[in-house]
Amino acid sequence: MSKLFQSTQLKEIMIPNRIVMSPMCQYVAKQDGKVTDWHKVHYGARAVGKVGLIIVEATAVEARGRITDQDLGIWNDDQIPGLKEIVDFAHKQGSVIGIQLAHAGRKAEISDRESVIAPSPIPFDQGFVIPKKMTEKEIEEVVQAFADAARRADQAGFDIIELHGAHGYLIHEFLSPLSNQRNDAYGGSREGRLKFLQEIVKAVKKVWPSHKPILLRVSATDYADGGIDLQEMIEMLKIVKTWGIDVIDVSSGGLVPARIEVGAGYQVKFAERIKEEVGIPTITVGLITEPELAEEILFNDRADFVALGRELLRDPYWPLHAAKKLNVDIEWPKPYERAKR
Ligand SMILES: Cc1cc2nc3c(=O)[nH]c(=O)nc-3n(C[C@H](O)[C@H](O)[C@H](O)COP(=O)(O)O)c2cc1C
């Protein structure tokens, strides 16, 4: 019996299989941050390919929170209709679809360099701007921007939102002592560094329907002395769990430049420890390309979902091909049935 193709329920959302399309920026939007034809075809193809849960790329909750000027945006209501087209098509194919809500913080490489903000005025690396330290008023504004974005995501019909707390972007910058050197309520202790995220979760929950799941993506380790390591992340997530986050999407790194040894399934060990010690469902990701590896991870309860990034760029129909390889009979899109064999 395949686990990869077993459906599962998160809150009231039934996900048809355990295959997740990892959020991946396409950098093809214009300054207005609106969905383009590329996005429609790109996400549509993965829905045709029977991905169970598609997570739309990092989408900026504020214009100054884009990674680049080409990022998708969800900071105004005019951006909703384009997103809704993606959602409606994915739903017609039977996929569940979520969106990653993001703010780049100090890693923003936008043309408006003056507006780059972060918890502390510490640049990511050489060549990056020195970010402006956020005032408490700016913190409040960004928290509200996340809530407004969640409301728009619901209006567009998304089933799930994922808060981007990984890869050195704004939420992660507050979490890590390497990028957060504030001595007010938003820094210092573990609780202080978690406060920005806590306020976002609280504000989002006021507008996001309670029957729809909220995911959080984290970097399990900063791979750097003085930063977050796996044990510290586990302790943080024990607190986060009490706020009502449904799934942790476990990635790693990105806060500071670091050398990372990668290989097939190299981040599974993080998802496994978090699942076990925090007692929360996890998504694992990172160089998972073979259906057999995906099955093994699920069978041994090392994660609840398996996300694919680049492999789904190479092969939008990966789930169809995986099912064939694993001898699982799944429904193909009707217009393609003659190709099923
Ligand atoms: C083109 C590209 C864009 C990405 N954009 C995002 C993003 O928007 N948000 C995010 O959390 N991770 C992003 N990532 C990381 C992926 O979601 C994924 O975690 C990473 O590629 C490892 O998985 P893989 O080995 O299956 O590709 C991106 C990766 C790629 C290759």
Side-chain angles (χ1 to χ4, degrees):
M1 256 288 279
S2 160
K3 263 207 142 174
L4 193 57
F5 289 95
Q6 230 172 53
S7 63
T8 187
Q9 191 157 337
L10 277 183
K11 290 223 164 137
E12 285 177 30
I13 307 297
M14 186 56 82
I15 305 178
N17 59 48
R18 309 298 179 97
I19 303 165
V20 177
M21 177 181 185
S22 206
M24 281 177 287
C25 284
Q26 297 297 292
Y27 307 115
V28 293
K30 302 212 173 68
Q31 273 290 345
D32 62 12
K34 287 184 182 169
V35 162
T36 65
D37 286 347
W38 175 270
H39 298 105
K40 293 178 202 169
V41 173
H42 169 69
Y43 292 109
R46 277 71 194 176
V48 167
K50 296 286 174 204
V51 170
L53 167 59
I54 294 168
I55 304 181
V56 169
E57 66 202 80
T59 304
V61 301
E62 282 196 323
R64 67 178 165 183
R66 286 171 294 174
I67 303 166
T68 73
D69 292 336
Q70 288 74 44
D71 286 20
L72 268 189
I74 188 161
W75 66 80
N76 71 48
D77 288 358
D78 294 344
Q79 291 159 336
I80 299 172
L83 292 167
K84 187 168 186 312
E85 278 189 59
I86 293 177
V87 169
D88 289 347
F89 184 80
H91 282 163
K92 278 189 198 134
Q93 312 315 313
S95 293
V96 166
I97 183 160
I99 184 167
Q100 189 182 52
L101 303 182
H103 195 300
R106 71 177 185 172
K107 284 178 90 174
E109 294 180 79
I110 46 177
S111 46
D112 179 11
R113 291 165 71 91
E114 302 284 292
S115 71
V116 176
I117 51 172
S120 301
I122 309 166
F124 168 68
D125 198 8
Q126 283 169 4
F128 281 74
V129 289
I130 299 176
K132 205 156 65 80
K133 177 183 169 182
M134 290 166 78
T135 61
E136 295 213 356
K137 186 166 170 289
E138 279 169 324
I139 290 177
E140 246 174 66
E141 281 167 17
V142 178
V143 167
Q144 189 56 46
F146 269 96
D148 293 342
R151 191 251 308 153
R152 292 185 191 107
D154 181 45
Q155 283 174 349
F158 284 103
D159 306 294
I160 284 174
I161 49 173
E162 177 172 275
L163 302 174
H164 197 351
H167 301 165
Y169 297 113
L170 188 62
I171 293 175
H172 188 180
E173 289 161 24
F174 270 88
L175 298 180
S176 177
L178 290 177
S179 43
N180 180 351
Q181 295 182 358
R182 299 178 74 97
N183 43 28
D184 61 6
Y186 294 91
S189 65
R190 182 181 296 147
E191 286 71 19
R193 286 177 283 114
L194 277 166
K195 188 172 162 63
F196 178 61
L197 174 60
Q198 183 176 20
E199 289 181 0
I200 290 172
V201 173
K202 206 169 150 196
V204 161
K205 282 192 156 236
K206 282 195 186 137
V207 296
W208 183 248
S210 58
H211 70 278
K212 294 184 182 182
I214 303 177
L215 278 47
L216 173 67
R217 187 166 237 208
V218 297
S219 287
T221 169
D222 290 339
Y223 299 107
D225 289 344
I228 297 171
D229 59 13
L230 178 60
Q231 198 53 49
E232 173 60 17
M233 181 48 71
I234 287 170
E235 298 310 321
M236 284 185 154
L237 291 175
K238 284 180 187 166
I239 299 172
V240 168
K241 186 185 164 190
T242 65
W243 306 337
I245 291 288
D246 301 292
V247 178
I248 305 295
D249 181 357
V250 186
S251 187
S252 68
L255 186 88
V256 288
R259 239 184 65 83
I260 305 172
E261 277 188 32
V262 298
Y266 71 103
Q267 295 180 132
V268 177
K269 56 183 182 292
F270 302 135
E272 189 172 7
R273 282 275 306 281
I274 289 172
K275 182 173 161 59
E276 199 173 296
E277 291 191 35
V278 182
I280 193 164
T282 57
I283 300 175
T284 187
V285 66
L287 288 176
I288 299 166
T289 58
E290 298 303 321
E292 293 82 358
L293 175 59
E295 278 288 19
E296 181 275 319
I297 292 165
L298 297 170
F299 254 104
N300 290 313
D301 242 357
R302 303 171 73 196
D304 299 84
F305 296 90
V306 172
L308 283 76
R310 289 160 290 181
E311 188 62 10
L312 270 171
L313 297 184
R314 286 184 281 267
D315 180 7
Y317 304 145
W318 189 88
L320 304 179
H321 297 145
K324 195 164 180 205
K325 217 168 163 200
L326 298 172
N327 269 320
V328 183
D329 186 26
I330 64 164
E331 210 178 307
W332 273 46
K334 206 157 183 43
Y336 287 5
E337 263 172 7
R338 285 178 65 187
K340 187 174 173 184
R341 273 176 284 151

